[in-house]
Structures are given as structure tokens and as C-alpha cells.
Amino acid sequence: MFDESIIVQSAISAFNNAALAAPAFLWWAVLAIPLFVFVYFCGNDFLEKIGWNRKSLTNRFSLITVMFSLAWIILFGGNYDVLRDNATVLPFMVAAISFVASLFIGSHTKNIKLSKWHEISKARKIQVFSLFILILLFIGLSDLHAWWGPILQIGAVVGGMILGRVAKYEMRPIPGTLLVILAIITAILMQPEFFRFGQLGSLTAFHLLFLLLAGCAVMITVALRNVNARSKIRRSAYIKIKWLVRFISLLCIALFVLTESVPVFLGTLFVVFCLCALSIWHSEKVSEVFSARMFALSLGLFGILTVMPVITALGILYWMNLPQENFLRQLKTLL
């Protein structure tokens, strides 16, 4: 009864239950509405002043999103004492996300030439070395649950950076960003208390809703970018199959709300992907702008979910710089 681990876990559970009553990520988003309005009206003026054109927004915004995601996954977690189950794969999940994000950053920054070590002054060498050690220290402190934790995380980040810089080709911006976003969403659902998102079970409707919205936005974007319009299925058969897949998707969503299970969540996203792929395959043509808008929506929802208003602002700016189309009509046709 008076075991210290039980007392600590009870206190942690009390804090988590309080967090569930007031989903912080949602209220932060509400407080950030004035910022989003300011970005909507003045964002393009800022882009013009720094010299960014519309053609370069995809690469730049993707790189910024992945950089912030890497910093978030390193700095936002770290307290493994909140986990109630010691047998967890979370350290390996975090290391995998850090590796992919570092690989993405390294491949997109390999054109930046680094000064040769022997050409740098002694004072500059000390500054560079100190900064390098400080960064490794922050990465290592993100995982102190075991002696190999810092080694795993540092190795993932450093290895990803090196492989990214020596790679022949860059990672494609949108697929790489979507992969990082989906992995982080899955990690949040896997261990919500670790990321200060809520306790192990009984997440509120807002938590579940935004997880589903962000995950579905990612899968719709993936379907739009990888499935070609063929106009192959007969309309009578298409309508019956689509209603069947819709019914299955609703069942999966209901099952996810009841269980809050990661496999069920991933299964639900797969069904949503199949639903969208079916609609795209049946269509004669799908607008490329619609895919870009879904990517912007993915950025916006991901920024709200992880309490990073900067990423949501990037999604707003990306949306604003796309040609005008009837987004709601296209989404209704797809689903």
C-alpha cells in the first residue's frame, strides 16, 4: 500500500485524469486563433519579404515541419517513469521516428557545404564542438530509462543525418513529411501519457476526434498522390462497393472509439485509404490541387495535435497559395 512506485503512479494518474478533463492541445489551438488570423491576412507579405516563392513552398515547409517534429519528439518526451508498463517498444519507436526525420533533414541539407575542419580557426572549432556536444546531450537526455537509451537515440539521429547527406537522392518532401506525421500520431496514441496527451485509457472525444482527423487527412493525401484515376468500375457496382466500404469504415471508427487501440486505429486508416482509392480509381480525373490542399490540412491538424502553432501556420500559408477550387465538393465526392 505504501510502496513508493504505487504512490508515484497514483499521483501521475491524478494529473493525467485532470488533463483529460481539459484537453490542453485544443485550448492552445483556441488561444492561437488570433495568430492564425494574422497569418491568413499577412502571411504572404512575410513570404515576399524573405524571398520565398510559391514553387519552393513545398520543399521549405516540409523541411521546417520535419525539423520541428524532430525537436518535438526529442524535447517533449523523456520521462519514462510515467509508463505503467516497463515492457514497451516506445524507445525504439522514438528512435525510428528520429532516424527517419534526421534522414529527411540530412538529404535536404546536403547541398549546404560545410567548412573543412583544418580551415576553421581555433575559437570557431571550440564553438562548433561545444554546440555539437550540447545537441548530443539534449538527444541523450531524451531517453534515460536504461543505459543503452542515450546510445540508441544519439545513434538514430547521427546515423540518419550521415546517411541523408551521403544519399544520392533527396527524400520526396510530401511523402517523407507524411511518414513522420503518421508515425508521431501513432506514437501519441501508443503512449499518450508519455507525450502529455492524456492517460492510458478513456481519452476524450476531442482527443479521439483530432487523432482520427489527422490520420485520415494523411491517408487521403497518400491515396490522392499514389492512386491514378482510371474510370474502370461500373457505376452500379461502384455505388454498392462504396457503401459497403463506408459501412466498414464506420464500424472501424466505432471500434476505435471503444477500444482506443493502435492496431484498430491503423486498420481504420487503411479502410479510409481503400475508400478513397476506390473513389479515385472510379473517377475520370482528380485535381492535383485537391491533393495539395489535403497536405495543407494534414499540416494544420498535426500542428494543433502536437501544440506547434508554427506548423499549423505553415498549413494555412500553403493552403492560401493554392488555386481556388471547391474543396468541400471534392471531399464529398471522394468519401
Side-chain angles (χ1 to χ4, degrees):
M1 176 178 180
F2 296 102
D3 183 71
E4 60 181 6
S5 63
I6 297 178
I7 296 173
V8 171
Q9 289 180 359
S10 299
I12 292 171
S13 178
F15 280 112
N16 287 331
N17 288 330
L20 286 174
F25 78 94
L26 180 62
W27 307 129
W28 276 111
V30 173
L31 290 174
I33 288 177
L35 172 63
F36 301 149
V37 173
F38 178 78
V39 169
Y40 181 81
F41 287 104
C42 305
N44 282 332
D45 295 334
F46 174 76
L47 293 179
E48 291 179 2
K49 288 184 178 180
I50 62 177
W52 288 9
N53 54 39
R54 294 185 178 183
K55 294 181 179 180
S56 63
L57 291 185
T58 301
N59 290 332
R60 295 181 185 275
F61 284 6
S62 297
L63 180 59
I64 293 173
T65 300
V66 175
M67 290 176 66
F68 270 90
S69 300
L70 178 61
W72 186 88
I73 200 73
I74 292 174
L75 300 177
F76 208 73
N79 187 10
Y80 283 86
D81 292 334
V82 301
L83 300 182
R84 300 181 185 181
D85 186 6
N86 293 327
T88 177
V89 297
L90 183 62
F92 305 100
M93 183 71 175
V94 172
I97 296 172
S98 299
F99 175 78
V100 174
S102 301
L103 184 66
F104 184 94
I105 296 171
S107 66
H108 282 264
T109 57
K110 62 182 179 181
N111 294 327
I112 300 176
K113 295 182 180 181
L114 302 177
S115 302
K116 296 182 179 180
W117 187 253
H118 65 274
E119 297 177 352
I120 305 176
S121 63
K122 186 176 181 180
R124 187 66 175 173
K125 288 181 180 178
I126 295 175
Q127 293 176 357
V128 173
F129 184 75
S130 301
L131 179 62
F132 181 71
I133 295 299
L134 184 62
I135 293 174
L136 292 183
L137 179 63
F138 275 111
I139 297 172
L141 290 175
S142 67
D143 188 355
L144 296 176
H145 81 289
W147 64 268
W148 48 265
I151 300 175
L152 176 65
Q153 304 304 329
I154 292 174
V157 174
V158 174
M161 286 288 185
I162 294 175
L163 290 178
R165 289 191 64 86
V166 301
K168 186 177 181 181
Y169 300 105
E170 296 179 350
M171 289 184 66
R172 290 187 295 171
I174 293 181
T177 305
L178 293 178
L179 178 60
V180 173
I181 290 176
L182 183 60
I184 291 179
I185 293 173
T186 305
I188 290 175
L189 182 61
M190 181 187 301
Q191 299 289 354
E193 75 283 5
F194 181 81
F195 296 105
R196 316 298 188 270
F197 190 63
Q199 71 175 57
L200 282 172
S202 303
L203 297 175
T204 65
F206 292 110
H207 293 93
L208 300 176
L209 175 63
F210 275 84
L211 281 169
L212 279 172
L213 288 177
C216 290
V218 170
M219 298 310 296
I220 292 173
T221 309
V222 172
L224 288 169
R225 291 182 57 85
N226 293 277
V227 180
N228 297 323
R230 301 287 186 180
S231 186
K232 288 289 186 181
I233 308 176
R234 292 182 179 179
R235 182 168 180 78
S236 58
Y238 166 72
I239 294 175
K240 296 176 183 178
I241 297 174
K242 189 170 183 178
W243 274 108
L244 176 62
V245 180
R246 282 174 177 172
F247 181 72
I248 295 174
S249 63
L250 290 176
L251 287 179
C252 291
I253 291 173
L255 185 61
F256 168 68
V257 172
L258 293 174
T259 62
E260 301 173 15
S261 171
V262 174
V264 175
F265 175 72
L266 296 177
T268 302
L269 297 187
F270 176 73
V271 174
V272 171
F273 172 83
C274 293
L275 175 62
C276 298
L278 179 67
S279 300
I280 296 169
W281 202 43
H282 173 71
S283 302
E284 295 181 359
K285 184 179 180 181
V286 178
S287 172
E288 295 182 0
V289 178
F290 184 40
S291 172
R293 288 197 180 278
M294 288 307 306
F295 176 64
L297 185 61
S298 301
L299 293 181
L301 291 171
F302 178 68
I304 292 174
L305 196 60
T306 54
V307 197
M308 288 192 285
V310 173
I311 296 181
T312 303
L314 295 179
I316 294 172
L317 286 174
Y318 197 82
W319 181 288
M320 291 169 51
N321 286 277
L322 294 172
Q324 295 295 326
E325 287 188 358
N326 194 330
F327 173 76
L328 293 179
R329 182 179 61 82
Q330 291 176 330
L331 183 62
K332 182 179 178 180
T333 303
L334 190 67
L335 299 178

